Amino acid sequence: MAGRARLTPVGAPTRGTTNPNRLRRVDRWLASDPAVTRLLRRGESPLVVDLGYGASPVTTVELARWLARVRPDVRVLGLELDPERVAAAQPAADPPRLDFQRGGFELAGARPVLVRAFNVLRQYAEDEVPGAWQLMLDAMPPDGLLVEGTCDEIGRLVTWVVVGASGPRTLTLSLRLAELDRPSTVAERLPKILIHRNVPGERVHALMSTLDECWAAAAPHRSFGVRARWTTTVAMLADRGWPVFGNPDRRRLGELTVAWESVAPR
């Protein structure tokens, strides 16, 4: 990692909460999404940044393991604003495959093809989000991708937005189906850009409401298992005109991806 410009870290420290496997749902998606895997398989030794990994480096270590399945020589750099957290992560470092450094939205002078930023922007105001996105994208190549999202403490409710140079592309919800009462439960973990928009008149509120309606209508399918009920729910959603993306097989994992335009704030 030597030779990178030293930049003043930009951002505010996070609470630092983390747990093993907290981000396994997004990690699993990153290791299988065609757009992400194409990025990782191009060029030499691609760099991925994990921004704001928290008080423990465990989720960054897990990310490196998942991505190594796609590209064995992938390099993962964990960035934190708190120098004590960076120091605490050093025993887990294995450069150049895995390293840790102090940095924020400026990405510490790195030029990654992919950035994962989870539970970082929750503490910011909604109007600060686009600027933070742009600061990260400015440090990336034109085809780079930012995956920015939020999850609960044990990773059962997870959401993320994929952002490219032209702006947000998709919103993904990933839910643990076994304990799911209704899909709109995930609204409390929406990304910051959407979490305050779950009110009547906003597109994301319409998504949450329609998901609940389809979930209720799919109740007869629960006799075939909760996955069958969820895949039926997603099929009903698509039949109602929602732009559903992604591999149908991934829906069995509790995932739903829709076009950003369908949920963008009004």
Side-chain angles (χ1 to χ4, degrees):
M1 302 295 175
R4 281 201 306 263
R6 292 291 178 179
L7 302 177
T8 302
V10 177
T14 63
R15 290 188 305 160
T17 306
T18 190
N19 284 298
N21 289 320
R22 187 184 187 190
L23 300 182
R24 66 191 179 281
R25 290 185 169 272
V26 67
D27 286 347
R28 184 173 58 192
W29 178 86
L30 288 168
S32 64
D33 179 74
V36 173
T37 55
R38 280 195 300 270
L39 269 181
L40 295 178
R41 287 172 177 150
R42 286 207 306 264
E44 296 183 6
S45 190
L47 176 64
V48 176
V49 161
D50 185 26
L51 181 66
Y53 55 82
S56 163
V58 62
T59 52
T60 307
V61 173
E62 291 167 350
L63 174 64
R65 289 173 181 164
W66 275 97
L67 297 185
R69 301 181 185 187
V70 180
R71 182 72 185 259
D73 63 342
V74 68
R75 294 172 294 139
V76 176
L77 174 64
L79 293 180
E80 257 293 344
L81 286 171
D82 185 342
E84 292 185 3
R85 293 177 186 174
V86 176
Q90 292 310 310
D94 181 21
R97 186 187 68 86
L98 176 63
D99 207 352
F100 300 90
Q101 184 177 324
R102 188 165 182 247
F105 296 132
E106 82 302 329
L107 304 185
R111 193 165 175 78
V113 298
L114 176 69
V115 174
R116 184 185 74 174
F118 256 71
N119 303 303
V120 172
L121 286 168
R122 282 184 66 88
Q123 66 196 23
Y124 290 80
E126 180 184 327
D127 61 6
E128 294 178 291
V129 173
W133 284 355
Q134 193 59 55
L135 194 55
M136 290 183 274
L137 290 167
D138 286 346
M140 302 167 68
D143 60 349
L145 292 177
L146 164 64
V147 179
E148 190 267 305
T150 307
C151 68
D152 66 355
E153 285 72 13
I154 53 177
R156 294 182 178 181
L157 299 172
V158 189
T159 71
W160 60 86
V161 179
V162 175
V163 189
S166 60
R169 298 181 179 182
T170 56
L171 170 71
T172 297
L173 315 178
S174 184
L175 319 174
R176 178 173 168 81
L177 299 175
E179 296 129 7
L180 188 64
D181 179 28
R182 62 185 187 278
S184 64
T185 302
V186 78
E188 66 193 44
R189 299 294 173 175
L190 285 168
K192 187 67 178 191
I193 196 72
L194 292 175
I195 195 166
H196 300 304
R197 300 289 181 154
N198 187 32
V199 293
E202 290 283 351
R203 296 182 181 96
V204 73
H205 182 268
L207 174 63
M208 295 293 113
S209 299
T210 308
L211 261 179
D212 280 353
E213 292 170 7
C214 293
W215 179 253
H221 292 265
R222 62 188 173 194
S223 59
F224 301 104
V226 69
R227 289 184 174 182
R229 183 178 181 182
W230 175 254
T231 55
T232 301
T233 297
V234 175
M236 289 179 174
L237 187 75
D239 287 343
R240 294 192 183 193
W242 286 86
V244 174
F245 289 177
N247 187 330
D249 290 342
R250 298 203 60 79
R251 296 171 198 165
R252 291 177 52 80
L253 302 174
E255 285 183 8
L256 167 66
T257 297
V258 296
W260 174 254
E261 292 78 8
S262 68
V263 295
R266 291 190 183 278

